[in-house]
Amino acid sequence: MTSAAVEILGLGLGILGWVGVILACGLPMWQVSAFIDVNIVVAQTIWEGLWMSCVVQSTGQMQCKVYDSILALPPEMQAGRALTVIVALLGLVALMVTVVGAQCTNCIRPGKMKSRIVIAGGAIYILCGVLVLIPLCWFANIVISDFYDPTVPSSQKREMGAALYIGWAATALLLFGGCLICCCSCSQRDETSFPVKYSAPRRPTSNGEYDKKNYV
């Protein structure tokens, strides 16, 4: 019962991480304009994401524009698009695989195959966390490098947006949930891999010899 509860907890964390990745993928706040000039009056804020860029006016109005060309995008945006879409699809696969092999479902008879399927689902969740971590760290590295680069104009300096932090939180949920699923399934398989054997006590017969039915 405890292993089933831990398995459900890991599945729930994996689902939350998967939703967080989709949310981070769609948000246009991967990098935002940095205000480092003290004496300048800022009238607008620039947001840049994987799919569009937005300009937010000081009055609250926001205008967004989808990028015109995919090939003209920098490499980190192209890789971020590809990896986040792959993670979104793999997360759906991991959800279906884990539900099929979960202890709370009867899709497959209990046994080694059922635990192996659950381990596969947890491994896919861990793979999703590793894949989505690549564009997040890539973007963060570029933003920090440009921010401290004296050759980059102040108007082109950017800061890390909220989408990066949401993506890192989703990565932690995916990794932790996948590890819980794998560890719970491995412990359950170890418990069921050694069945208890019963051997009947040997009782002598009337002539002092042991009965042959006691030997199997």
Side-chain angles (χ1 to χ4, degrees):
M1 183 64 182
T2 305
S3 60
V6 175
E7 191 175 84
I8 294 175
L9 176 61
L11 178 59
L13 294 177
I15 294 174
L16 288 178
W18 174 52
V19 174
V21 170
I22 297 176
L23 179 62
C25 177
L27 287 176
M29 293 176 289
W30 281 64
Q31 51 185 1
V32 299
S33 54
F35 306 117
I36 56 179
D37 293 334
V38 180
N39 298 323
I40 189 172
V41 178
V42 179
Q44 61 185 15
T45 304
I46 300 175
W47 295 349
E48 295 179 356
L50 296 177
W51 309 94
M52 66 183 69
S53 61
C54 299
V55 177
V56 182
Q57 306 292 337
S58 58
T59 57
Q61 296 179 350
M62 182 174 64
Q63 295 179 348
C64 296
K65 180 182 179 182
V66 180
Y67 297 126
D68 296 330
S69 176
I70 298 178
L71 299 178
L73 294 176
E76 65 273 11
M77 284 193 178
Q78 296 182 12
R81 283 186 173 190
L83 290 175
T84 49
V85 170
I86 290 173
V87 168
L89 297 177
L90 283 179
L92 181 60
V93 174
L95 174 61
M96 294 187 295
V97 171
T98 307
V99 169
V100 168
Q103 301 180 37
C104 57
T105 61
N106 296 324
C107 299
I108 299 177
R109 296 173 56 184
K112 292 183 178 180
M113 182 59 66
K114 190 178 182 71
S115 61
R116 288 175 181 174
I117 292 176
V118 177
I119 292 175
I124 297 175
Y125 274 125
I126 295 175
L127 178 62
C128 290
V130 174
L131 290 179
V132 77
L133 194 62
I134 296 174
L136 294 172
C137 295
W138 195 351
F139 260 85
N141 181 48
I142 292 175
V143 171
I144 294 173
S145 299
D146 291 344
F147 187 86
Y148 290 107
D149 189 356
T151 61
V152 178
S154 300
S155 59
Q156 297 181 4
K157 293 182 182 293
R158 298 290 184 264
E159 292 183 353
M160 293 183 292
L164 294 181
Y165 298 100
I166 295 175
W168 281 323
T171 300
L173 292 175
L174 287 171
L175 295 176
F176 189 58
C179 291
L180 282 180
I181 294 173
C182 291
C183 293
C184 176
S185 301
C186 288
S187 62
Q188 181 190 5
R189 186 176 63 177
D190 293 339
E191 291 176 1
T192 58
S193 59
F194 299 99
V196 179
K197 296 183 179 180
Y198 174 78
S199 59
R202 296 181 296 175
R203 297 179 181 178
T205 57
S206 59
N207 57 0
E209 297 180 354
Y210 290 97
D211 194 357
K212 294 182 180 180
K213 69 179 182 180
N214 293 325
Y215 296 93
V216 179

